Amino acid sequence: MREARARGLRVAATVAAAVFAPAAAALAPHWHLTQFDLRCYGPEQGLASDNVQRIVQDRDGYLWTSGGWGAVRFDGVRARSPPPVDPPVDERDFIGSLVAGSDGSVWLGLVEGGLVRVLGTRADRPLPLTGMTRAVPYLAQLGTGAAILSHEGRYFRLELDASPDLQPLTAPSDFGNVHTALETADTLWIGGPRGVARRDATGTWQRYDTGDGLTDNLVWYLTRDRQGRIFAATRGGVSVFVDGRWQAFDIHPDLRGEVVRHVLEDRDGTLWIATAGAGLFRHVDGRTERLTTAEGLGSNLIWSLLEDREGNLWMPTAGAGLCRLGEEPMRAYTRREGLRNDLVRAVIRTRDGRLWTGGNGGVHWLDDERITAAPLLPEAGDNAVMTLLERADGSVHAGTQT
């Protein structure tokens, strides 16, 4: 964590509480992105490296991450390696996927070492995966407790519970490895290097590519929002499935053509978009904001996103480790958040609970964390507001410099 040592204990306790707390509200949609508390964790906290590519949260609230070589369990304070497995995992083996089971287990798909299941203090290899020349680079999480396993044109549905079951799945043979999977009612969606495929209730598959409106054929992630829209994170931006056809989700000029790794709708309906080079985007109430390294983000390359039970947003990154966007009691309000000027000279709280400020930018009030600029009489001009006073009738009066 890149902070002064003196703050370490307080910070660690705060983050641990956030990881294990009961479900809470999402990040405040009316806060500017720079108002959130942003912290990053790396090797100093026990992570294998500053390049963290995958993240899941298990049933007990622990965060599991992998950066390619090695996986760790993170509780918000320290990271721990999983228990050993027999035969042992080669430390040089690359972890191609990381998914969570409904029974509290976490599954690792190793490019050379097959499947490893970690449950509590035990680790085992529950499935021999006979007949596969190489092991399993791709496990795509399918809701809670299931995954799609793909290998050299063969596809399986894997139930991730105490008695794992691997069932063959009919899919387009030339589709390639499945990066992402989504199940909605009687429909199964999969995304990968050759676009998107959808299987309906009759078992019929339909393929979609750029000719059908996708922004790119390389699809990294699929998700469904509360309105029923399907979003695809692609190598060429975000696509949305509307009225039977894909189209570009064109919400910000800096998002066009960017490699998008993940799209997440939080529990309050805000859309978060992770890119491989353009930082983080948030879309809420028809407006889109962007957070990059210029505003303090640890890295502009974000591999994926996860909303924890407390509503915090976790971001595995390239170069900055595992970053968390959360809420803290102390926040700053500046021009970026809506003030006309950063020099504030007077502050009062009125009986109705509003916070009023006066300064070189005139008068503002803060109501439910929203900043509103109060109109001033023309004769006030550009004079700095030096004092504020609430009268008995509830009116607020400002005293200017001249």
Side-chain angles (χ1 to χ4, degrees):
M1 186 161 28
R2 294 154 181 82
E3 292 194 298
R5 186 178 299 274
R7 298 186 59 196
L9 290 177
R10 184 185 66 80
V11 169
T14 300
V15 178
V19 172
F20 295 102
L27 296 178
H30 52 272
W31 287 14
H32 192 279
L33 289 177
T34 56
Q35 291 180 271
F36 294 111
D37 180 60
L38 176 62
R39 299 175 184 180
C40 296
Y41 306 82
E44 294 176 2
Q45 288 73 43
L47 300 186
S49 76
D50 282 332
N51 182 22
V52 180
Q53 296 180 0
R54 298 164 189 85
I55 183 171
V56 296
Q57 187 168 29
D58 68 20
R59 185 189 61 185
D60 298 325
Y62 289 104
L63 299 176
W64 289 77
T65 71
S66 81
W69 287 271
V72 296
R73 188 189 74 176
F74 186 55
D75 62 6
V77 179
R78 63 184 64 86
R80 296 179 179 176
S81 299
V85 63
D86 186 30
V89 173
D90 189 328
E91 64 180 10
R92 296 168 297 177
D93 200 357
F94 190 86
I95 298 175
S97 51
L98 188 67
V99 295
S102 57
D103 60 347
S105 61
V106 171
W107 295 67
L108 306 128
L110 307 177
V111 173
E112 298 293 345
L115 279 177
V116 171
R117 176 181 59 182
V118 181
L119 180 59
T121 59
R122 296 183 299 104
D124 62 2
R125 300 176 186 270
L127 296 170
L129 301 177
T130 56
M132 295 191 180
T133 56
R134 278 184 88 216
V136 187
Y138 289 99
L139 276 173
Q141 188 88 49
L142 187 63
T144 302
I148 299 296
L149 184 154
S150 55
H151 174 74
E152 296 181 349
R154 298 169 63 189
Y155 306 91
F156 304 86
R157 181 188 177 100
L158 175 61
E159 298 299 330
L160 305 172
D161 53 25
S163 301
D165 186 26
L166 195 64
Q167 295 293 331
L169 178 69
T170 302
S173 59
D174 61 341
F175 189 77
N177 285 321
V178 176
H179 297 164
T180 177
L182 176 67
E183 206 165 28
T184 60
D186 295 327
T187 303
L188 174 65
W189 298 79
I190 58 174
R194 296 182 177 89
V196 174
R198 180 182 67 169
R199 189 190 66 182
D200 62 21
T202 68
T204 303
W205 285 93
Q206 182 172 355
R207 298 278 295 271
Y208 302 93
D209 56 24
T210 53
D212 303 295
L214 277 177
T215 50
D216 194 271
N217 285 336
L218 179 56
V219 177
W220 291 112
Y221 195 74
L222 293 169
T223 191
R224 180 177 184 266
D225 72 359
R226 61 189 61 197
Q227 300 177 43
R229 299 177 298 179
I230 307 296
F231 289 89
T234 83
R235 185 173 52 186
V238 180
S239 299
V240 59
F241 191 71
V242 178
D243 296 330
R245 182 174 174 81
W246 291 96
Q247 63 187 45
F249 190 56
D250 194 9
I251 56 172
H252 196 285
D254 292 333
L255 193 57
R256 296 170 189 159
E258 286 292 337
V259 177
V260 176
R261 294 286 309 197
H262 202 106
V263 178
L264 179 146
E265 184 188 40
D266 69 25
R267 63 198 63 174
D268 287 346
T270 297
L271 278 180
W272 299 86
I273 299 170
T275 72
L280 177 70
F281 291 80
R282 178 181 68 174
H283 183 69
V284 59
D285 295 334
R287 67 182 190 278
T288 304
E289 294 177 86
R290 182 184 179 193
L291 185 67
T292 68
T293 53
E295 293 81 37
L297 188 61
S299 170
N300 285 332
L301 199 166
I302 305 170
W303 294 109
S304 63
L305 299 169
L306 182 141
E307 182 187 25
D308 69 17
R309 297 175 184 179
E310 184 66 10
N312 299 293
L313 189 70
W314 293 86
M315 300 170 282
T317 74
L322 179 63
C323 295
R324 178 189 72 102
L325 205 62
E327 296 179 9
E328 286 295 296
M330 183 178 294
R331 296 181 294 277
Y333 297 91
T334 65
R335 285 178 183 266
R336 191 183 301 277
E337 287 73 46
L339 295 180
R340 295 193 189 103
N341 191 286
D342 288 339
L343 183 54
V344 177
R345 299 174 182 270
V347 179
I348 64 169
R349 185 178 292 279
T350 53
R351 289 188 295 274
D352 60 4
R354 284 181 176 176
L355 191 70
W356 292 74
T357 71
N360 283 22
V363 177
H364 302 77
W365 71 75
L366 184 65
D367 186 13
D368 190 27
E369 311 297 344
R370 299 177 187 272
I371 294 177
T372 302
L376 289 177
L377 294 175
E379 55 265 27
D382 296 326
N383 285 334
V385 173
M386 306 298 291
T387 60
L388 292 170
L389 173 69
E390 181 186 18
R391 299 188 63 176
D393 63 357
S395 60
V396 176
H397 293 249
T400 63
Q401 192 169 18
T402 58

